[in-house]
């Protein structure tokens, strides 16, 4: 996205980096959802529940640790993961209903 010409160069450069990172995040999320859709189809075929609370807890612990190692607030990381997992479970439930 083009910034107005009167934006200081340092701010413009930082915003360009943010824009690039945001684009990468979208692509990564899209790939993650492609993978979780495959899992949802497999769960539906196998008659497994849409949610796996034990795996979710392991993932939360793993991502909280990664967040701490990376200097990211682990509470934020957990909220972010829970938001994603909620959407994934909704998709898995849809696969189960339609199979």
């Amino acid at each position: 996205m083009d910034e107005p010409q009167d934006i200081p160069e340092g701010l413009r450069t930082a915003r360009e980096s943010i824009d690039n990172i945001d684009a990468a995040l979208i692509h990564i999320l899209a790939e993650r959802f492609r993978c979780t859709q495959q899992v949802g189809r497999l769960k539906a075929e196998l008659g497994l529940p849409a949610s796996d609370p034990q795996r979710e807890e392991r993932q939360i612990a793993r991502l909280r640790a990664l967040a701490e190692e990376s200097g990211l607030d682990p509470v934020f990381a957990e909220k972010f993961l829970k938001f994603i997992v909620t959407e994934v479970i909704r998709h898995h439930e849809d696969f189960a209903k339609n199979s």
Side-chain angles (χ1 to χ4, degrees), residues 1 3 9 16 28 32 35-36 43 45 53 60 63 75 78 81 84 90 92 94-95 97-99:
M1 187 163 75
E3 291 283 347
E9 185 58 33
E16 287 172 358
I28 289 168
R32 188 185 195 288
C35 292
T36 60
K43 283 182 172 183
E45 290 172 11
I60 287 169
L63 291 182
V75 173
E78 182 174 345
L81 178 64
I84 291 171
R90 188 180 67 75
H92 290 187
D94 288 346
F95 282 122
K97 286 178 194 170
N98 297 321
S99 60

Side-chain angles (χ1 to χ4, degrees), residues 23-91:
L25 284 170
I26 294 301
H27 290 289
I28 289 168
L29 283 170
E31 183 61 25
R32 188 185 195 288
F33 275 95
R34 279 189 281 281
C35 292
T36 60
Q37 287 175 350
Q38 181 181 8
V39 168
R41 284 192 280 283
L42 289 169
K43 283 182 172 183
E45 290 172 11
L46 298 170
L48 297 173
S51 176
D52 184 344
Q54 291 174 337
R55 173 160 167 78
E56 293 161 25
E57 287 303 315
R58 288 191 309 270
Q59 285 294 88
I60 287 169
R62 185 176 75 83
L63 291 182
R64 284 182 66 96
L66 285 171
E68 288 178 15
E69 291 171 14
S70 300
L72 181 67
D73 179 3
V75 173
F76 170 77
E78 182 174 345
K79 287 179 185 177
F80 184 70
L81 178 64
K82 285 184 176 182
F83 175 77
I84 291 171
V85 168
T86 298
E87 187 66 12
V88 167
I89 291 169
R90 188 180 67 75
H91 291 174

